[in-house]
Amino acid sequence: MTKLRCFAFLLALLPALGLAAGPGPALEHAGTDLSDKASLQRGAGLFMNYCAGCHALSMHRYSRIASDLDLPPELVEQYLVPPQAAIGETIRTGIKAGDAQAWFGATAPDLSLVSRAKLGGSDWVYSYLKGFYIDEARPVGWNNTVFPGASMPNVLWELQGIQRPVYDQGEDGAAHLSKLELATPGRQSPEEFDRTARDISAFLQYVAEPAALKRESIGVWVILFLAFFTFIAYLLKLEYWRDVH
C-alpha cells in the first residue's frame, strides 16, 4: 500500500516537473563551451547591452563576472556596470515592474537560472533567441517558435534581421508553421548572428551555475588523482595477498 501511495505521488508530480508533457519544440544545438572565455566575455557584453534593461540577474554580481571571466574590474565598471550601480552589487534591471507590465503585458523575468529552469538548457535559450518572427496579431508585433505567445519583442532584430513565418497546410486542413525565412537582413550575417546567440546562451549557462567553470577545470585533476589512487590501491592489494595461497 505504501509503495502504491509513493507511486501515485510521483505521478502527481510529473506535470510540475515537465515530464508528463508532450514533446516540445525542436531545439537547435547551441554548441556552447564554458571553457571559451572569449565567448563568455562577448556574451556578458551582449547581455548588458541588449537584455539587462529589462531582465535582472539578481543572483549574480558584476564583481563575479570580472573574476570568473578574467576581466579587469575597471573595464567591467566602465562598460558593464550602469552609472547608478556598484561593481559589488547584484545585476538588477533598469525597468520598473509596473512599466514592463504596461508596455509588454508581463513583468520581465529574472534570468539568473533560465538556463537550468528550461528543458534543454542553453539549447532552449539559443533556439529562443533565434526563433523570433513578425506576427501582427501579437500586441508587441512579434512571436516566437520556441515560446509561442511570448510578450517579449525581438530586441536583437537589428542584428538578426526580420524573419517571417512560412506555413504549410496540415492533414487537419489547418495552417502550421513550417519554417522561418529572413525577409529583411540585419547588420549581421546568419553565421554571425548564430555566434551572437551562442555567446548569450553560453553567458546565461555560466550565470546559472558559476561553479561549473571551476568544477570543469579541476575535473581532469580529480580523475587523474582517482586513477593514481586506484593504481596504488591495486599495488597494496597485491602486497597484502602476496603470501596467501
Short mmCIF file of all heavy atoms in Angstrom, two decimals, residues 93-148:
data_model
loop_
_atom_site.label_atom_id
_atom_site.label_comp_id
_atom_site.label_asym_id
_atom_site.label_seq_id
_atom_site.Cartn_x
_atom_site.Cartn_y
_atom_site.Cartn_z
N THR A 93 17.66 45.01 -12.95
CA THR A 93 17.13 45.59 -14.16
C THR A 93 16.87 47.08 -13.99
O THR A 93 16.63 47.56 -12.88
CB THR A 93 15.82 44.88 -14.57
OG1 THR A 93 15.28 45.52 -15.72
CG2 THR A 93 14.79 44.96 -13.45
N GLY A 94 16.92 47.80 -15.09
CA GLY A 94 16.67 49.22 -15.02
C GLY A 94 15.21 49.59 -15.23
O GLY A 94 14.85 50.76 -15.14
N ILE A 95 14.36 48.61 -15.52
CA ILE A 95 12.96 48.88 -15.80
C ILE A 95 12.12 48.59 -14.56
O ILE A 95 12.40 47.65 -13.80
CB ILE A 95 12.46 48.03 -16.99
CG1 ILE A 95 11.11 48.52 -17.49
CG2 ILE A 95 12.40 46.56 -16.63
CD1 ILE A 95 10.65 47.82 -18.76
N LYS A 96 11.11 49.39 -14.32
CA LYS A 96 10.20 49.16 -13.21
C LYS A 96 9.19 48.10 -13.58
O LYS A 96 8.76 48.00 -14.74
CB LYS A 96 9.49 50.46 -12.84
CG LYS A 96 10.43 51.56 -12.33
CD LYS A 96 9.64 52.82 -12.00
CE LYS A 96 10.58 53.92 -11.51
NZ LYS A 96 9.85 55.18 -11.20
N ALA A 97 8.78 47.31 -12.56
CA ALA A 97 7.85 46.21 -12.83
C ALA A 97 6.55 46.73 -13.43
O ALA A 97 5.97 46.13 -14.33
CB ALA A 97 7.58 45.44 -11.53
N GLY A 98 6.07 47.86 -12.95
CA GLY A 98 4.83 48.41 -13.47
C GLY A 98 4.93 48.83 -14.91
O GLY A 98 3.99 48.65 -15.71
N ASP A 99 6.10 49.37 -15.30
CA ASP A 99 6.30 49.78 -16.69
C ASP A 99 6.34 48.57 -17.62
O ASP A 99 5.76 48.60 -18.71
CB ASP A 99 7.60 50.57 -16.82
CG ASP A 99 7.52 51.93 -16.15
OD1 ASP A 99 6.39 52.42 -15.93
OD2 ASP A 99 8.59 52.50 -15.84
N ALA A 100 7.03 47.52 -17.19
CA ALA A 100 7.10 46.31 -18.01
C ALA A 100 5.71 45.71 -18.21
O ALA A 100 5.36 45.27 -19.31
CB ALA A 100 8.02 45.28 -17.36
N GLN A 101 4.90 45.72 -17.16
CA GLN A 101 3.54 45.19 -17.25
C GLN A 101 2.71 46.02 -18.22
O GLN A 101 1.94 45.49 -19.03
CB GLN A 101 2.89 45.19 -15.86
CG GLN A 101 1.50 44.55 -15.81
CD GLN A 101 1.53 43.06 -16.00
OE1 GLN A 101 2.44 42.38 -15.53
NE2 GLN A 101 0.54 42.53 -16.71
N ALA A 102 2.88 47.33 -18.17
CA ALA A 102 2.09 48.22 -19.03
C ALA A 102 2.54 48.13 -20.49
O ALA A 102 1.71 48.17 -21.40
CB ALA A 102 2.21 49.65 -18.52
N TRP A 103 3.85 48.01 -20.71
CA TRP A 103 4.36 48.03 -22.08
C TRP A 103 4.25 46.69 -22.78
O TRP A 103 3.92 46.62 -23.96
CB TRP A 103 5.83 48.46 -22.06
CG TRP A 103 6.04 49.86 -21.57
CD1 TRP A 103 5.11 50.86 -21.49
CD2 TRP A 103 7.26 50.41 -21.06
NE1 TRP A 103 5.66 52.01 -20.96
CE2 TRP A 103 6.99 51.77 -20.70
CE3 TRP A 103 8.54 49.91 -20.88
CZ2 TRP A 103 7.96 52.61 -20.16
CZ3 TRP A 103 9.51 50.76 -20.36
CH2 TRP A 103 9.23 52.09 -20.01
N PHE A 104 4.54 45.61 -22.04
CA PHE A 104 4.61 44.29 -22.66
C PHE A 104 3.52 43.33 -22.20
O PHE A 104 3.41 42.23 -22.72
CB PHE A 104 5.98 43.65 -22.41
CG PHE A 104 7.13 44.54 -22.79
CD1 PHE A 104 8.08 44.91 -21.87
CD2 PHE A 104 7.25 45.01 -24.09
CE1 PHE A 104 9.15 45.73 -22.22
CE2 PHE A 104 8.31 45.83 -24.45
CZ PHE A 104 9.25 46.19 -23.52
N GLY A 105 2.74 43.73 -21.20
CA GLY A 105 1.69 42.86 -20.69
C GLY A 105 2.17 41.82 -19.70
O GLY A 105 1.41 40.97 -19.26
N ALA A 106 3.44 41.87 -19.33
CA ALA A 106 4.01 40.91 -18.37
C ALA A 106 5.29 41.50 -17.80
O ALA A 106 5.96 42.31 -18.44
CB ALA A 106 4.31 39.57 -19.03
N THR A 107 5.61 41.10 -16.57
CA THR A 107 6.85 41.53 -15.95
C THR A 107 8.01 40.70 -16.49
O THR A 107 7.92 39.47 -16.58
CB THR A 107 6.77 41.36 -14.42
OG1 THR A 107 5.69 42.14 -13.93
CG2 THR A 107 8.05 41.83 -13.76
N ALA A 108 9.09 41.35 -16.89
CA ALA A 108 10.24 40.62 -17.43
C ALA A 108 10.84 39.73 -16.35
O ALA A 108 11.16 40.22 -15.26
CB ALA A 108 11.29 41.61 -17.94
N PRO A 109 11.01 38.44 -16.61
CA PRO A 109 11.52 37.53 -15.57
C PRO A 109 13.01 37.70 -15.31
O PRO A 109 13.76 38.15 -16.19
CB PRO A 109 11.24 36.14 -16.15
CG PRO A 109 11.27 36.35 -17.64
CD PRO A 109 10.70 37.73 -17.87
N ASP A 110 13.40 37.35 -14.10
CA ASP A 110 14.82 37.27 -13.75
C ASP A 110 15.42 36.07 -14.50
O ASP A 110 14.85 34.98 -14.50
CB ASP A 110 14.95 37.09 -12.24
CG ASP A 110 16.39 37.20 -11.75
OD1 ASP A 110 17.23 36.42 -12.23
OD2 ASP A 110 16.66 38.05 -10.89
N LEU A 111 16.56 36.27 -15.12
CA LEU A 111 17.16 35.21 -15.96
C LEU A 111 18.34 34.51 -15.30
O LEU A 111 19.10 33.83 -15.98
CB LEU A 111 17.59 35.80 -17.30
CG LEU A 111 16.48 36.38 -18.18
CD1 LEU A 111 17.05 36.86 -19.51
CD2 LEU A 111 15.36 35.35 -18.41
N SER A 112 18.48 34.66 -13.98
CA SER A 112 19.61 34.04 -13.30
C SER A 112 19.67 32.54 -13.52
O SER A 112 20.77 31.97 -13.69
CB SER A 112 19.53 34.33 -11.79
OG SER A 112 19.60 35.70 -11.52
N LEU A 113 18.53 31.88 -13.54
CA LEU A 113 18.50 30.42 -13.62
C LEU A 113 17.80 29.91 -14.86
O LEU A 113 17.45 28.73 -14.92
CB LEU A 113 17.82 29.84 -12.36
CG LEU A 113 18.48 30.15 -11.02
CD1 LEU A 113 17.64 29.60 -9.87
CD2 LEU A 113 19.89 29.56 -10.96
N VAL A 114 17.60 30.76 -15.86
CA VAL A 114 16.81 30.33 -17.01
C VAL A 114 17.45 29.15 -17.73
O VAL A 114 16.76 28.25 -18.22
CB VAL A 114 16.61 31.52 -17.99
CG1 VAL A 114 17.94 31.97 -18.59
CG2 VAL A 114 15.62 31.15 -19.09
N SER A 115 18.77 29.10 -17.77
CA SER A 115 19.45 28.01 -18.47
C SER A 115 19.26 26.67 -17.77
O SER A 115 19.37 25.62 -18.41
CB SER A 115 20.95 28.32 -18.61
OG SER A 115 21.59 27.37 -19.44
N ARG A 116 18.99 26.69 -16.47
CA ARG A 116 18.75 25.46 -15.74
C ARG A 116 17.26 25.16 -15.63
O ARG A 116 16.87 24.00 -15.49
CB ARG A 116 19.36 25.55 -14.33
CG ARG A 116 20.86 25.71 -14.32
CD ARG A 116 21.43 25.69 -12.92
NE ARG A 116 21.25 24.40 -12.27
CZ ARG A 116 21.63 24.14 -11.02
NH1 ARG A 116 22.20 25.09 -10.29
NH2 ARG A 116 21.45 22.95 -10.50
N ALA A 117 16.43 26.20 -15.68
CA ALA A 117 15.00 26.01 -15.49
C ALA A 117 14.32 25.45 -16.74
O ALA A 117 13.33 24.72 -16.64
CB ALA A 117 14.34 27.33 -15.09
N LYS A 118 14.85 25.78 -17.90
CA LYS A 118 14.22 25.34 -19.15
C LYS A 118 14.75 23.99 -19.59
O LYS A 118 15.95 23.74 -19.54
CB LYS A 118 14.48 26.37 -20.25
CG LYS A 118 13.87 27.73 -19.99
CD LYS A 118 12.35 27.67 -19.91
CE LYS A 118 11.75 29.06 -19.77
NZ LYS A 118 10.27 29.03 -19.67
N LEU A 119 13.83 23.13 -20.01
CA LEU A 119 14.21 21.83 -20.52
C LEU A 119 14.99 22.04 -21.82
O LEU A 119 14.48 22.61 -22.78
CB LEU A 119 12.95 20.98 -20.79
CG LEU A 119 13.14 19.48 -20.97
CD1 LEU A 119 13.71 18.86 -19.70
CD2 LEU A 119 11.83 18.81 -21.34
N GLY A 120 16.22 21.60 -21.83
CA GLY A 120 17.09 21.84 -22.97
C GLY A 120 18.22 22.79 -22.65
O GLY A 120 19.19 22.87 -23.38
N GLY A 121 18.09 23.54 -21.53
CA GLY A 121 19.16 24.40 -21.07
C GLY A 121 19.57 25.44 -22.09
O GLY A 121 18.75 26.20 -22.61
N SER A 122 20.87 25.49 -22.38
CA SER A 122 21.38 26.50 -23.31
C SER A 122 20.83 26.31 -24.71
O SER A 122 20.73 27.28 -25.48
CB SER A 122 22.91 26.47 -23.33
OG SER A 122 23.38 25.20 -23.73
N ASP A 123 20.45 25.07 -25.07
CA ASP A 123 19.84 24.86 -26.38
C ASP A 123 18.50 25.58 -26.47
O ASP A 123 18.14 26.12 -27.53
CB ASP A 123 19.63 23.36 -26.63
CG ASP A 123 20.92 22.61 -26.86
OD1 ASP A 123 21.97 23.28 -27.04
OD2 ASP A 123 20.91 21.37 -26.85
N TRP A 124 17.75 25.61 -25.36
CA TRP A 124 16.47 26.32 -25.33
C TRP A 124 16.70 27.82 -25.51
O TRP A 124 16.03 28.48 -26.31
CB TRP A 124 15.73 26.06 -24.02
CG TRP A 124 14.33 26.58 -24.00
CD1 TRP A 124 13.19 25.89 -24.27
CD2 TRP A 124 13.91 27.93 -23.70
NE1 TRP A 124 12.09 26.72 -24.16
CE2 TRP A 124 12.49 27.97 -23.82
CE3 TRP A 124 14.57 29.10 -23.34
CZ2 TRP A 124 11.76 29.13 -23.58
CZ3 TRP A 124 13.84 30.26 -23.11
CH2 TRP A 124 12.46 30.28 -23.23
N VAL A 125 17.65 28.37 -24.76
CA VAL A 125 17.94 29.80 -24.86
C VAL A 125 18.38 30.16 -26.27
O VAL A 125 17.91 31.15 -26.86
CB VAL A 125 19.03 30.21 -23.84
CG1 VAL A 125 19.38 31.68 -23.99
CG2 VAL A 125 18.56 29.92 -22.42
N TYR A 126 19.26 29.37 -26.83
CA TYR A 126 19.79 29.60 -28.18
C TYR A 126 18.66 29.57 -29.21
O TYR A 126 18.55 30.47 -30.07
CB TYR A 126 20.83 28.53 -28.49
CG TYR A 126 21.45 28.58 -29.86
CD1 TYR A 126 22.39 29.56 -30.19
CD2 TYR A 126 21.13 27.62 -30.82
CE1 TYR A 126 22.98 29.59 -31.44
CE2 TYR A 126 21.72 27.64 -32.08
CZ TYR A 126 22.64 28.62 -32.38
OH TYR A 126 23.22 28.65 -33.62
N SER A 127 17.81 28.55 -29.14
CA SER A 127 16.71 28.43 -30.09
C SER A 127 15.69 29.54 -29.90
O SER A 127 15.10 30.04 -30.88
CB SER A 127 16.03 27.06 -29.93
OG SER A 127 16.96 26.01 -30.12
N TYR A 128 15.48 29.96 -28.66
CA TYR A 128 14.55 31.05 -28.37
C TYR A 128 15.06 32.36 -28.99
O TYR A 128 14.29 33.09 -29.64
CB TYR A 128 14.40 31.20 -26.86
CG TYR A 128 13.55 32.39 -26.43
CD1 TYR A 128 12.17 32.35 -26.56
CD2 TYR A 128 14.13 33.53 -25.90
CE1 TYR A 128 11.39 33.43 -26.17
CE2 TYR A 128 13.36 34.61 -25.51
CZ TYR A 128 11.99 34.55 -25.64
OH TYR A 128 11.22 35.62 -25.27
N LEU A 129 16.33 32.65 -28.82
CA LEU A 129 16.88 33.89 -29.38
C LEU A 129 16.80 33.90 -30.90
O LEU A 129 16.67 34.97 -31.52
CB LEU A 129 18.34 34.05 -28.94
CG LEU A 129 18.57 34.31 -27.46
CD1 LEU A 129 20.07 34.31 -27.14
CD2 LEU A 129 17.93 35.61 -27.01
N LYS A 130 16.86 32.74 -31.54
CA LYS A 130 16.81 32.66 -32.99
C LYS A 130 15.40 32.48 -33.52
O LYS A 130 15.18 32.53 -34.74
CB LYS A 130 17.68 31.49 -33.48
CG LYS A 130 19.16 31.66 -33.23
CD LYS A 130 19.95 30.52 -33.83
CE LYS A 130 19.76 30.44 -35.33
NZ LYS A 130 20.52 29.33 -35.94
N GLY A 131 14.43 32.29 -32.63
CA GLY A 131 13.09 31.90 -33.05
C GLY A 131 12.06 33.01 -33.17
O GLY A 131 10.87 32.74 -33.32
N PHE A 132 12.48 34.27 -33.14
CA PHE A 132 11.52 35.37 -33.25
C PHE A 132 11.11 35.60 -34.70
O PHE A 132 11.92 35.52 -35.62
CB PHE A 132 12.12 36.66 -32.68
CG PHE A 132 12.09 36.73 -31.19
CD1 PHE A 132 13.19 36.36 -30.44
CD2 PHE A 132 10.95 37.16 -30.52
CE1 PHE A 132 13.17 36.42 -29.06
CE2 PHE A 132 10.92 37.23 -29.14
CZ PHE A 132 12.03 36.86 -28.40
N TYR A 133 9.83 35.93 -34.88
CA TYR A 133 9.32 36.27 -36.20
C TYR A 133 8.19 37.29 -36.08
O TYR A 133 7.56 37.42 -35.03
CB TYR A 133 8.84 35.02 -36.95
CG TYR A 133 7.68 34.29 -36.30
CD1 TYR A 133 6.35 34.59 -36.65
CD2 TYR A 133 7.90 33.29 -35.35
CE1 TYR A 133 5.29 33.91 -36.07
CE2 TYR A 133 6.84 32.61 -34.77
CZ TYR A 133 5.54 32.92 -35.12
OH TYR A 133 4.49 32.26 -34.54
N ILE A 134 7.97 38.02 -37.15
CA ILE A 134 6.93 39.05 -37.18
C ILE A 134 5.56 38.39 -37.08
O ILE A 134 5.27 37.41 -37.79
CB ILE A 134 7.04 39.89 -38.47
CG1 ILE A 134 8.21 40.86 -38.37
CG2 ILE A 134 5.75 40.65 -38.73
CD1 ILE A 134 8.00 41.96 -37.35
N ASP A 135 4.72 38.92 -36.21
CA ASP A 135 3.35 38.43 -36.06
C ASP A 135 2.47 39.62 -35.70
O ASP A 135 2.44 40.06 -34.54
CB ASP A 135 3.27 37.34 -34.98
CG ASP A 135 1.88 36.72 -34.87
OD1 ASP A 135 0.95 37.22 -35.53
OD2 ASP A 135 1.73 35.74 -34.12
N GLU A 136 1.78 40.16 -36.69
CA GLU A 136 0.97 41.36 -36.48
C GLU A 136 -0.18 41.12 -35.50
O GLU A 136 -0.73 42.08 -34.94
CB GLU A 136 0.41 41.87 -37.81
CG GLU A 136 1.44 42.47 -38.75
CD GLU A 136 2.23 41.43 -39.52
OE1 GLU A 136 1.94 40.23 -39.34
OE2 GLU A 136 3.15 41.81 -40.27
N ALA A 137 -0.53 39.87 -35.26
CA ALA A 137 -1.63 39.58 -34.34
C ALA A 137 -1.22 39.72 -32.87
O ALA A 137 -2.08 39.82 -32.00
CB ALA A 137 -2.15 38.17 -34.60
N ARG A 138 0.07 39.76 -32.61
CA ARG A 138 0.55 39.87 -31.24
C ARG A 138 0.63 41.33 -30.81
O ARG A 138 0.89 42.21 -31.65
CB ARG A 138 1.94 39.23 -31.10
CG ARG A 138 1.97 37.73 -31.33
CD ARG A 138 1.20 37.00 -30.26
NE ARG A 138 1.74 37.33 -28.93
CZ ARG A 138 1.05 37.20 -27.81
NH1 ARG A 138 -0.20 36.80 -27.84
NH2 ARG A 138 1.61 37.51 -26.66
N PRO A 139 0.41 41.63 -29.52
CA PRO A 139 0.43 43.02 -29.05
C PRO A 139 1.74 43.75 -29.35
O PRO A 139 1.73 44.94 -29.68
CB PRO A 139 0.20 42.89 -27.54
CG PRO A 139 -0.54 41.60 -27.38
CD PRO A 139 0.01 40.70 -28.45
N VAL A 140 2.87 43.05 -29.23
CA VAL A 140 4.17 43.70 -29.49
C VAL A 140 4.65 43.47 -30.92
O VAL A 140 5.72 43.94 -31.30
CB VAL A 140 5.24 43.19 -28.50
CG1 VAL A 140 4.89 43.60 -27.08
CG2 VAL A 140 5.42 41.68 -28.60
N GLY A 141 3.86 42.75 -31.71
CA GLY A 141 4.20 42.55 -33.11
C GLY A 141 5.15 41.41 -33.39
O GLY A 141 5.58 41.22 -34.53
N TRP A 142 5.51 40.65 -32.36
CA TRP A 142 6.45 39.54 -32.52
C TRP A 142 5.89 38.28 -31.89
O TRP A 142 5.09 38.34 -30.96
CB TRP A 142 7.79 39.86 -31.84
CG TRP A 142 8.55 40.98 -32.46
CD1 TRP A 142 8.49 42.31 -32.12
CD2 TRP A 142 9.50 40.89 -33.53
NE1 TRP A 142 9.34 43.04 -32.91
CE2 TRP A 142 9.97 42.20 -33.78
CE3 TRP A 142 10.00 39.85 -34.30
CZ2 TRP A 142 10.91 42.49 -34.76
CZ3 TRP A 142 10.94 40.13 -35.28
CH2 TRP A 142 11.39 41.44 -35.51
N ASN A 143 6.35 37.14 -32.39
CA ASN A 143 6.05 35.86 -31.78
C ASN A 143 7.32 35.02 -31.81
O ASN A 143 8.34 35.46 -32.33
CB ASN A 143 4.91 35.15 -32.52
CG ASN A 143 4.07 34.28 -31.60
OD1 ASN A 143 4.56 33.74 -30.62
ND2 ASN A 143 2.79 34.14 -31.93
N ASN A 144 7.24 33.82 -31.24
CA ASN A 144 8.45 33.00 -31.12
C ASN A 144 8.10 31.53 -31.31
O ASN A 144 7.09 31.05 -30.78
CB ASN A 144 9.09 33.22 -29.74
CG ASN A 144 10.49 32.65 -29.66
OD1 ASN A 144 10.67 31.46 -29.44
ND2 ASN A 144 11.49 33.51 -29.82
N THR A 145 8.93 30.83 -32.06
CA THR A 145 8.66 29.42 -32.33
C THR A 145 8.85 28.54 -31.10
O THR A 145 8.19 27.52 -30.96
CB THR A 145 9.59 28.91 -33.45
OG1 THR A 145 10.96 29.14 -33.07
CG2 THR A 145 9.31 29.64 -34.75
N VAL A 146 9.77 28.92 -30.22
CA VAL A 146 10.06 28.12 -29.03
C VAL A 146 9.10 28.44 -27.90
O VAL A 146 8.72 27.57 -27.12
CB VAL A 146 11.52 28.34 -28.59
CG1 VAL A 146 11.82 27.61 -27.29
CG2 VAL A 146 12.48 27.88 -29.67
N PHE A 147 8.70 29.70 -27.80
CA PHE A 147 7.81 30.14 -26.74
C PHE A 147 6.65 30.92 -27.37
O PHE A 147 6.62 32.14 -27.33
CB PHE A 147 8.57 31.02 -25.75
CG PHE A 147 7.83 31.33 -24.48
CD1 PHE A 147 6.65 30.70 -24.16
CD2 PHE A 147 8.34 32.26 -23.60
CE1 PHE A 147 5.97 30.97 -22.99
CE2 PHE A 147 7.69 32.55 -22.42
CZ PHE A 147 6.49 31.91 -22.11
N PRO A 148 5.68 30.20 -27.97
CA PRO A 148 4.57 30.89 -28.65
C PRO A 148 3.80 31.80 -27.69
O PRO A 148 3.55 31.45 -26.54
CB PRO A 148 3.69 29.73 -29.12
CG PRO A 148 4.61 28.56 -29.21
CD PRO A 148 5.59 28.74 -28.10
#
